[in-house]
Amino acid sequence: EVQVVETGGGLMQPGGSLRLSCAASGFTVSSNYMTWVRQAPGKGLEWVSVIYSDGSTAYADSVKGRFTISRDNSKNTLYLQINSLRAEDTAVYHCARGRPNWYFDLWGRGTLVTVSS
Amino acid sequence: QSALTQPPSASGSPGQSVTISCTGTSSDVGGYSFVSWYQHLPGKAPKVMIYEVSKRPSGVPDRFSGSKSGNTASLTVSGLQAEDEGDYYCSSYAGSNNHVFGTGTKVTVL
């Protein structure tokens, strides 16, 4: 089955770090561009980051410098490293597969990150 | 990277049509033909309904259609059905490897 499954969320302290994982099956992560999108409680979807097949990356201004997107080709898994966690990082984080012409055709159900003291 | 503007809510009776607008700028919606629309039900994975302004992925009913004029894109759901109820988000490529989503619209089937 073609799918992506996110893990790694939880209750975190402000200032802490966290790494989210997105395990893919049925397709090769490194052959596609992959993205992270988050949704804060009661808010809309917010694009966070993208990694292309050539390994280049891009980030939303709101997370630049604190978030790092990466992948492990041997594990067919996408990651999102989040440092210096803030309360405003509280959200469900979805990973998604990108298609040519800039749309996302395969999404996971997400993993919840809660940042609170 | 400001969010695209959508109406907070839209509604219609079964069988009616509802249209959702998505307003951006010449740097995103108006500058590219890369507008997509997603249906998001609570606790579920978002699902792409329209891509490249007006194309439907395989399996999406032809009741869903998209269009664009200038800096505003639109999603129309014709022949509204109870299963269409949910949140809808537009998205656009915004240049320089950036993407932007809309503020979201809650569609209610009366």
Side-chain angles (χ1 to χ4, degrees):
Chain A
E1 182 182 3
V2 180
Q3 64 177 1
V4 291
V5 179
E6 306 93 336
T7 56
L11 176 60
M12 306 299 296
Q13 297 266 357
S17 296
L18 184 67
R19 190 178 77 162
L20 306 180
S21 300
C22 168
S25 55
F27 72 99
T28 302
V29 165
S30 60
S31 298
N32 294 269
Y33 75 92
M34 301 291 295
T35 199
W36 287 96
V37 174
R38 68 182 179 182
Q39 183 175 32
K43 302 292 185 180
L45 299 176
E46 179 189 15
W47 176 76
V48 171
S49 182
V50 63
I51 184 168
Y52 295 97
S53 55
D54 66 0
S56 60
T57 61
Y59 300 90
D61 289 344
S62 58
V63 307
K64 207 171 288 185
R66 295 192 302 120
F67 287 27
T68 302
I69 190 171
S70 63
R71 66 187 182 217
D72 184 329
N73 296 342
S74 67
K75 295 182 179 179
N76 206 32
T77 297
L78 176 74
Y79 300 103
L80 186 68
Q81 176 72 35
I82 307 175
N83 297 329
S84 303
L85 280 160
R86 304 169 179 170
E88 53 263 38
D89 295 324
T90 294
V92 174
Y93 286 75
H94 299 274
C95 71
R97 181 177 69 179
R99 303 308 290 161
N101 294 338
W102 312 109
Y103 70 101
F104 311 116
D105 73 330
L106 180 68
W107 295 68
R109 299 177 79 163
T111 186
L112 175 62
V113 174
T114 303
V115 183
S116 175
S117 55
Chain B
Q1 292 176 339
S2 298
L4 308 175
T5 300
Q6 298 180 233
S9 62
S11 62
S13 299
Q16 290 185 330
S17 294
V18 64
T19 297
I20 304 167
S21 60
C22 168
T23 301
T25 70
S26 58
S27 297
D28 38 62
V29 174
Y32 305 93
S33 294
F34 301 139
V35 176
S36 49
W37 289 88
Y38 302 87
Q39 178 191 63
H40 191 199
L41 306 179
K44 305 274 189 174
K47 175 185 177 183
V48 60
M49 308 303 284
I50 294 288
Y51 67 98
E52 289 182 52
V53 176
S54 60
K55 297 181 179 179
R56 269 189 320 276
S58 172
V60 172
D62 60 6
R63 302 183 292 103
F64 291 84
S65 62
S67 63
K68 190 186 83 163
S69 177
N71 296 337
T72 299
S74 298
L75 173 72
T76 297
V77 186
S78 306
L80 207 57
Q81 298 183 6
E83 69 220 43
D84 299 331
E85 195 163 275
D87 296 327
Y88 289 80
Y89 293 89
C90 60
S91 179
S92 175
Y93 181 65
S96 301
N97 298 313
N98 290 313
H99 298 257
V100 62
F101 281 91
T103 50
T105 299
K106 183 176 182 62
V107 170
T108 302
V109 181
L110 303 172

